[in-house]
Amino acid sequence: MFVCICNALNDRTVNELVASGAATTPAAIHRAAGCKPQCGRCLPDMAEMIAEHRTANAFAQAAD
Ligand code: FES
């Protein structure tokens, strides 16, 4: 599924960048992918994916 249609970034790529720690903001995701935001429609979805990743990490750390 494409997250950013303007730059053809799919959810797999975005999740990999977020999980690797290479990107902690939507702008950083674009930078890490070698592109720039254009229309901006993907920014809320990317922010949500980052938040979900942080929540999952917090739960994982709490379980340790
Ligand atoms: S959908 Fe990402 S900049 Fe347009």
Side-chain angles (χ1 to χ4, degrees), residues 14 34 57 64:
V14 171
N57 276 352
D64 285 342

Side-chain angles (χ1 to χ4, degrees), residues 18-51:
V18 172
S20 73
T24 57
T25 65
I29 290 171
H30 284 93
R31 269 195 307 276
C35 56
K36 293 180 180 178
Q38 295 178 38
C39 74
R41 285 187 190 165
C42 59
L43 302 180
D45 289 338
M46 287 185 176
E48 190 174 319
M49 292 170 81
I50 292 166

